[in-house]
Amino acid sequence: MPHHETRPTIRIPGTTSHTIAPRAGRRHEGALRYLRAGTGAPLVLLHTVRTQAEHFRSLIPSVSDRYTVYALDLPGMGYSEIVPGASYDEPAMRAGVERLLTELDLRDVTLVGESMGAVLALTTAADLPERVRRVVAVNTYDFRGGIARSGLLARLVVGGVLAPGVGPVIARVEPKSALTKILQGGLGDKSALREDYVDELLRVGGRPGYPTVARAVYQSLPSLIAARSRYPEVEAPVHLVYGEKDWSRPADRRADRELLPAAEFTQVRGAGHFIALERPDVLAGLLASAA
Protein backbone atom coordinates (compact mmCIF):
# COMPACT_ATOMS: atom_id res chain seq x y z
CA MET A 1 0.00 0.00 0.00
CA PRO A 2 1.17 3.58 -0.57
CA HIS A 3 2.01 5.27 2.72
CA HIS A 4 -1.01 7.32 3.75
CA GLU A 5 -1.94 8.35 7.26
CA THR A 6 -5.54 7.42 6.51
CA ARG A 7 -6.73 3.82 6.47
CA PRO A 8 -10.17 2.43 5.67
CA THR A 9 -12.43 1.81 8.63
CA ILE A 10 -15.10 -0.24 6.84
CA ARG A 11 -14.34 -3.94 6.77
CA ILE A 12 -16.02 -6.19 4.21
CA PRO A 13 -16.01 -9.85 5.29
CA GLY A 14 -13.85 -12.09 3.12
CA THR A 15 -12.00 -9.27 1.33
CA THR A 16 -8.30 -8.55 1.23
CA SER A 17 -6.65 -5.31 0.13
CA HIS A 18 -4.00 -5.25 -2.59
CA THR A 19 -1.94 -2.74 -4.55
CA ILE A 20 -0.79 -2.50 -8.16
CA ALA A 21 2.48 -0.59 -8.39
CA PRO A 22 2.93 2.18 -10.96
CA ARG A 23 4.84 1.19 -14.07
CA ALA A 24 8.40 2.40 -14.50
CA GLY A 25 8.74 5.65 -16.38
CA ARG A 26 5.07 6.66 -16.01
CA ARG A 27 5.51 9.96 -14.16
CA HIS A 28 1.83 10.61 -13.48
CA GLU A 29 0.88 7.03 -12.75
CA GLY A 30 0.21 6.10 -9.15
CA ALA A 31 -0.30 2.88 -7.21
CA LEU A 32 -3.83 1.47 -7.44
CA ARG A 33 -5.59 -0.15 -4.51
CA TYR A 34 -8.22 -2.83 -4.96
CA LEU A 35 -10.18 -5.26 -2.82
CA ARG A 36 -10.33 -8.94 -3.68
CA ALA A 37 -12.78 -11.59 -2.51
CA GLY A 38 -14.25 -14.92 -3.53
CA THR A 39 -13.53 -17.55 -6.16
CA GLY A 40 -14.65 -18.10 -9.72
CA ALA A 41 -14.59 -16.08 -12.92
CA PRO A 42 -13.33 -12.51 -12.49
CA LEU A 43 -15.83 -9.76 -11.65
CA VAL A 44 -14.49 -6.20 -11.66
CA LEU A 45 -16.46 -3.50 -9.82
CA LEU A 46 -16.02 0.18 -10.71
CA HIS A 47 -17.40 2.82 -8.36
CA THR A 48 -19.12 6.17 -8.80
CA VAL A 49 -18.08 9.81 -8.64
CA ARG A 50 -16.71 10.75 -5.17
CA THR A 51 -16.76 7.21 -3.78
CA GLN A 52 -14.47 4.17 -3.57
CA ALA A 53 -14.36 0.36 -3.55
CA GLU A 54 -16.36 0.19 -0.31
CA HIS A 55 -19.31 1.49 -2.33
CA PHE A 56 -19.89 -2.21 -3.09
CA ARG A 57 -19.75 -3.38 0.52
CA SER A 58 -23.23 -4.95 0.33
CA LEU A 59 -22.79 -6.47 -3.13
CA ILE A 60 -19.41 -8.18 -2.68
CA PRO A 61 -20.45 -10.78 -0.04
CA SER A 62 -23.49 -11.78 -2.09
CA VAL A 63 -21.54 -12.58 -5.28
CA SER A 64 -18.19 -13.84 -3.96
CA ASP A 65 -19.42 -17.43 -3.94
CA ARG A 66 -19.63 -17.30 -7.75
CA TYR A 67 -16.93 -14.81 -8.74
CA THR A 68 -13.47 -13.67 -7.84
CA VAL A 69 -14.33 -10.05 -7.12
CA TYR A 70 -11.95 -7.16 -7.76
CA ALA A 71 -13.29 -3.81 -6.49
CA LEU A 72 -10.98 -1.04 -7.70
CA ASP A 73 -10.28 2.37 -6.21
CA LEU A 74 -10.07 4.46 -9.38
CA PRO A 75 -6.90 6.57 -9.79
CA GLY A 76 -6.51 9.11 -7.00
CA MET A 77 -9.73 8.01 -5.32
CA GLY A 78 -10.32 5.90 -2.23
CA TYR A 79 -6.86 4.69 -1.22
CA SER A 80 -5.25 4.70 -4.64
CA GLU A 81 -2.23 6.96 -4.80
CA ILE A 82 -2.66 10.68 -5.43
CA VAL A 83 -0.03 11.87 -7.89
CA PRO A 84 0.47 15.64 -8.33
CA GLY A 85 -0.21 16.69 -11.89
CA ALA A 86 -2.10 13.54 -12.85
CA SER A 87 -5.13 13.72 -15.10
CA TYR A 88 -8.55 12.47 -14.04
CA ASP A 89 -10.37 12.63 -17.34
CA GLU A 90 -12.04 9.58 -18.83
CA PRO A 91 -8.99 8.25 -20.73
CA ALA A 92 -6.79 8.52 -17.62
CA MET A 93 -9.31 6.75 -15.41
CA ARG A 94 -9.89 4.10 -18.07
CA ALA A 95 -6.12 3.53 -18.16
CA GLY A 96 -6.32 2.67 -14.46
CA VAL A 97 -9.03 0.09 -15.09
CA GLU A 98 -7.06 -1.40 -17.95
CA ARG A 99 -3.99 -1.66 -15.71
CA LEU A 100 -6.01 -3.82 -13.33
CA LEU A 101 -7.08 -6.17 -16.12
CA THR A 102 -3.70 -6.40 -17.82
CA GLU A 103 -1.38 -6.41 -14.78
CA LEU A 104 -3.42 -9.20 -13.18
CA ASP A 105 -3.95 -10.84 -16.59
CA LEU A 106 -7.71 -11.09 -16.05
CA ARG A 107 -9.72 -12.75 -18.81
CA ASP A 108 -13.37 -13.67 -19.25
CA VAL A 109 -14.12 -10.61 -17.11
CA THR A 110 -17.55 -9.36 -16.12
CA LEU A 111 -17.28 -5.59 -15.72
CA VAL A 112 -19.84 -3.92 -13.46
CA GLY A 113 -19.68 -0.16 -13.19
CA GLU A 114 -22.00 2.37 -11.61
CA SER A 115 -22.24 6.01 -12.71
CA MET A 116 -18.75 7.08 -13.84
CA GLY A 117 -17.74 3.44 -13.40
CA ALA A 118 -20.41 2.41 -15.92
CA VAL A 119 -18.89 4.63 -18.59
CA LEU A 120 -15.44 3.22 -17.82
CA ALA A 121 -16.76 -0.34 -17.98
CA LEU A 122 -18.08 0.29 -21.48
CA THR A 123 -14.98 2.06 -22.80
CA THR A 124 -12.67 -0.54 -21.25
CA ALA A 125 -14.70 -3.25 -22.97
CA ALA A 126 -14.27 -1.37 -26.24
CA ASP A 127 -10.49 -1.28 -25.72
CA LEU A 128 -10.00 -4.84 -24.44
CA PRO A 129 -12.57 -7.05 -26.16
CA GLU A 130 -10.36 -10.11 -25.73
CA ARG A 131 -10.57 -9.80 -21.94
CA VAL A 132 -14.18 -8.72 -21.33
CA ARG A 133 -17.01 -11.25 -21.31
CA ARG A 134 -19.91 -9.02 -20.25
CA VAL A 135 -20.69 -5.48 -19.10
CA VAL A 136 -23.31 -4.38 -16.60
CA ALA A 137 -23.55 -0.59 -16.85
CA VAL A 138 -25.54 0.93 -13.99
CA ASN A 139 -26.81 4.50 -14.35
CA THR A 140 -24.22 5.67 -16.87
CA TYR A 141 -22.83 9.10 -15.91
CA ASP A 142 -22.66 10.56 -19.40
CA PHE A 143 -25.17 13.42 -19.48
CA ARG A 144 -25.01 17.17 -18.98
CA GLY A 145 -25.29 18.34 -15.38
CA GLY A 146 -24.26 15.06 -13.77
CA ILE A 147 -24.35 15.11 -9.98
CA ALA A 148 -25.63 18.69 -10.05
CA ARG A 149 -29.03 17.13 -10.85
CA SER A 150 -29.05 15.69 -7.33
CA GLY A 151 -30.66 18.88 -6.06
CA LEU A 152 -30.14 22.57 -5.31
CA LEU A 153 -27.38 21.98 -2.77
CA ALA A 154 -25.45 19.80 -5.22
CA ARG A 155 -25.78 22.45 -7.92
CA LEU A 156 -24.43 25.10 -5.55
CA VAL A 157 -21.57 22.96 -4.22
CA VAL A 158 -20.46 21.52 -7.55
CA GLY A 159 -20.83 24.91 -9.21
CA GLY A 160 -18.63 26.40 -6.49
CA VAL A 161 -16.02 23.65 -6.78
CA LEU A 162 -15.79 24.19 -10.52
CA ALA A 163 -15.64 27.99 -10.30
CA PRO A 164 -12.36 29.63 -11.34
CA GLY A 165 -10.35 31.06 -8.46
CA VAL A 166 -12.46 30.00 -5.49
CA GLY A 167 -13.03 26.42 -6.67
CA PRO A 168 -9.99 24.85 -4.98
CA VAL A 169 -10.91 26.56 -1.71
CA ILE A 170 -14.50 25.30 -1.82
CA ALA A 171 -13.30 21.78 -2.70
CA ARG A 172 -11.41 21.67 0.62
CA VAL A 173 -14.58 22.41 2.61
CA GLU A 174 -16.90 19.41 2.79
CA PRO A 175 -19.29 19.43 5.77
CA LYS A 176 -20.74 16.06 6.66
CA SER A 177 -24.29 17.42 6.43
CA ALA A 178 -23.70 18.68 2.89
CA LEU A 179 -22.11 15.46 1.63
CA THR A 180 -24.92 13.45 3.22
CA LYS A 181 -27.61 15.52 1.55
CA ILE A 182 -25.93 15.41 -1.86
CA LEU A 183 -25.54 11.63 -1.73
CA GLN A 184 -29.10 11.18 -0.48
CA GLY A 185 -30.18 13.05 -3.60
CA GLY A 186 -29.03 9.97 -5.51
CA LEU A 187 -31.20 7.57 -3.53
CA GLY A 188 -34.84 6.64 -3.69
CA ASP A 189 -34.48 5.15 -0.20
CA LYS A 190 -32.42 7.70 1.74
CA SER A 191 -31.93 5.28 4.64
CA ALA A 192 -29.63 3.23 2.36
CA LEU A 193 -26.87 5.79 2.98
CA ARG A 194 -25.17 4.51 6.13
CA GLU A 195 -23.46 6.99 8.42
CA ASP A 196 -20.24 4.98 8.66
CA TYR A 197 -19.94 5.12 4.88
CA VAL A 198 -20.27 8.92 4.86
CA ASP A 199 -17.63 9.04 7.61
CA GLU A 200 -15.34 6.88 5.48
CA LEU A 201 -15.79 9.15 2.45
CA LEU A 202 -15.01 12.19 4.58
CA ARG A 203 -11.90 10.46 5.94
CA VAL A 204 -10.71 9.86 2.38
CA GLY A 205 -11.63 13.44 1.51
CA GLY A 206 -9.15 14.57 4.15
CA ARG A 207 -6.18 12.89 2.43
CA PRO A 208 -3.52 15.36 1.29
CA GLY A 209 -4.26 16.33 -2.31
CA TYR A 210 -7.74 14.81 -2.41
CA PRO A 211 -9.61 18.11 -2.93
CA THR A 212 -7.62 18.58 -6.15
CA VAL A 213 -8.66 15.09 -7.27
CA ALA A 214 -12.31 15.71 -6.40
CA ARG A 215 -12.33 18.97 -8.37
CA ALA A 216 -10.66 17.28 -11.35
CA VAL A 217 -13.20 14.45 -11.29
CA TYR A 218 -16.10 16.92 -11.38
CA GLN A 219 -14.31 18.67 -14.26
CA SER A 220 -14.05 15.35 -16.12
CA LEU A 221 -17.79 15.16 -16.94
CA PRO A 222 -17.33 16.46 -20.52
CA SER A 223 -14.85 13.65 -21.22
CA LEU A 224 -17.33 11.10 -19.84
CA ILE A 225 -20.02 12.51 -22.13
CA ALA A 226 -17.62 12.38 -25.08
CA ALA A 227 -16.86 8.73 -24.25
CA ARG A 228 -20.37 7.79 -25.40
CA SER A 229 -18.95 7.76 -28.92
CA ARG A 230 -17.08 4.56 -27.94
CA TYR A 231 -20.20 2.59 -26.93
CA PRO A 232 -20.93 1.16 -30.41
CA GLU A 233 -17.45 -0.41 -30.37
CA VAL A 234 -18.34 -2.70 -27.46
CA GLU A 235 -18.48 -6.32 -28.64
CA ALA A 236 -19.39 -7.96 -25.33
CA PRO A 237 -23.03 -8.35 -24.25
CA VAL A 238 -24.21 -5.29 -22.31
CA HIS A 239 -26.92 -4.94 -19.69
CA LEU A 240 -28.01 -1.35 -19.03
CA VAL A 241 -29.49 -0.83 -15.56
CA TYR A 242 -31.20 2.38 -14.50
CA GLY A 243 -32.87 3.47 -11.31
CA GLU A 244 -36.35 4.79 -11.94
CA LYS A 245 -35.31 7.97 -10.07
CA ASP A 246 -31.80 8.22 -11.50
CA TRP A 247 -30.49 11.68 -12.39
CA SER A 248 -30.52 10.71 -16.06
CA ARG A 249 -33.65 11.67 -17.97
CA PRO A 250 -35.65 9.36 -20.24
CA ALA A 251 -34.06 11.01 -23.26
CA ASP A 252 -30.58 10.28 -21.87
CA ARG A 253 -31.47 6.62 -21.40
CA ARG A 254 -32.99 6.33 -24.87
CA ALA A 255 -29.87 7.84 -26.39
CA ASP A 256 -27.66 5.19 -24.81
CA ARG A 257 -30.03 2.40 -25.82
CA GLU A 258 -29.79 3.64 -29.41
CA LEU A 259 -25.99 3.44 -29.21
CA LEU A 260 -26.24 -0.08 -27.73
CA PRO A 261 -29.27 -1.53 -29.53
CA ALA A 262 -28.50 -5.12 -28.56
CA ALA A 263 -28.20 -4.34 -24.86
CA GLU A 264 -30.56 -5.77 -22.28
CA PHE A 265 -32.36 -3.14 -20.23
CA THR A 266 -33.59 -3.10 -16.65
CA GLN A 267 -35.22 -0.22 -14.80
CA VAL A 268 -35.27 -0.59 -11.01
CA ARG A 269 -38.49 0.68 -9.55
CA GLY A 270 -38.08 3.38 -6.90
CA ALA A 271 -34.28 3.34 -7.02
CA GLY A 272 -32.05 6.33 -7.63
CA HIS A 273 -28.48 6.76 -8.85
CA PHE A 274 -26.70 4.61 -6.25
CA ILE A 275 -28.25 1.21 -6.87
CA ALA A 276 -25.28 -0.59 -5.31
CA LEU A 277 -26.21 1.08 -2.02
CA GLU A 278 -29.98 0.69 -2.03
CA ARG A 279 -30.66 -2.34 -4.24
CA PRO A 280 -27.55 -4.56 -4.29
CA ASP A 281 -29.93 -7.52 -4.47
CA VAL A 282 -30.94 -6.50 -8.00
CA LEU A 283 -27.31 -6.46 -9.17
CA ALA A 284 -26.58 -9.74 -7.37
CA GLY A 285 -29.53 -11.33 -9.13
CA LEU A 286 -28.37 -10.17 -12.55
CA LEU A 287 -24.89 -11.51 -11.85
CA ALA A 288 -26.16 -14.82 -10.49
CA SER A 289 -28.16 -15.44 -13.66
CA ALA A 290 -25.06 -15.00 -15.80
CA ALA A 291 -22.41 -16.65 -13.62
Side-chain angles (χ1 to χ4, degrees):
M1 287 284 296
H3 294 289
H4 305 310
E5 293 181 3
T6 309
R7 288 291 185 271
T9 56
I10 292 174
R11 298 287 182 262
I12 304 173
T15 63
T16 53
S17 183
H18 304 266
T19 301
I20 298 173
R23 294 169 290 186
R26 306 293 180 103
R27 189 163 60 94
H28 289 140
E29 191 170 278
L32 295 173
R33 175 251 194 175
Y34 66 93
L35 301 177
R36 177 174 172 163
T39 56
L43 169 66
V44 172
L45 303 178
L46 305 174
H47 63 78
T48 76
V49 172
R50 185 53 189 97
T51 68
Q52 59 195 69
E54 281 78 10
H55 186 74
F56 298 103
R57 66 190 295 183
S58 297
L59 177 62
I60 291 171
S62 63
V63 296
S64 57
D65 60 334
R66 297 180 177 87
Y67 294 94
T68 303
V69 182
Y70 302 84
L72 177 67
D73 278 345
L74 291 168
M77 288 170 260
Y79 294 92
S80 286
E81 186 178 2
I82 296 171
V83 179
S87 172
Y88 296 97
D89 61 8
E90 187 275 331
M93 291 188 286
R94 177 175 11 113
V97 179
E98 293 178 3
R99 279 173 61 199
L100 178 76
L101 270 61
T102 56
E103 297 275 323
L104 301 183
D105 194 23
L106 302 182
R107 297 179 184 277
D108 199 31
V109 175
T110 297
L111 280 175
V112 177
E114 183 160 275
S115 182
M116 172 176 66
V119 178
L120 298 174
L122 288 165
T123 56
T124 297
D127 274 359
L128 301 175
E130 71 282 4
R131 293 185 181 272
V132 178
R133 170 192 175 198
R134 185 182 185 218
V135 177
V136 179
V138 185
N139 289 327
T140 55
Y141 190 75
D142 56 9
F143 47 83
R144 291 182 62 185
I147 196 171
R149 293 186 185 176
S150 169
L152 177 60
L153 179 61
R155 288 196 294 276
L156 293 173
V157 170
V158 175
V161 167
L162 294 176
V166 299
V169 176
I170 294 173
R172 289 195 292 272
V173 180
E174 193 175 39
K176 182 175 180 178
S177 58
L179 180 60
T180 298
K181 190 168 183 62
I182 290 170
L183 293 174
Q184 285 179 337
L187 293 167
D189 174 11
K190 295 185 179 4
S191 69
L193 182 65
R194 291 164 59 173
E195 186 173 7
D196 65 341
Y197 183 48
V198 178
D199 289 340
E200 171 65 22
L201 295 178
L202 289 169
R203 197 169 287 108
V204 164
R207 291 175 59 200
Y210 193 86
T212 300
V213 175
R215 187 167 189 255
V217 171
Y218 288 137
Q219 290 172 324
S220 74
L221 179 56
S223 71
L224 292 164
I225 295 171
R228 296 177 68 250
S229 66
R230 301 291 311 281
Y231 294 178
E233 300 174 37
V234 178
E235 298 176 9
V238 175
H239 198 133
L240 293 171
V241 181
Y242 286 98
E244 181 184 23
K245 299 180 179 179
D246 179 46
W247 302 325
S248 62
R249 297 175 179 136
D252 300 321
R253 302 175 200 188
R254 285 195 301 271
D256 280 355
R257 293 183 73 179
E258 288 171 5
L259 291 171
L260 295 160
E264 296 181 79
F265 181 85
T266 296
Q267 182 161 285
V268 184
R269 186 174 181 181
H273 190 68
F274 301 117
I275 289 178
L277 296 185
E278 60 180 329
R279 293 300 307 275
D281 58 305
V282 170
L283 301 183
L286 291 176
L287 292 167
S289 67

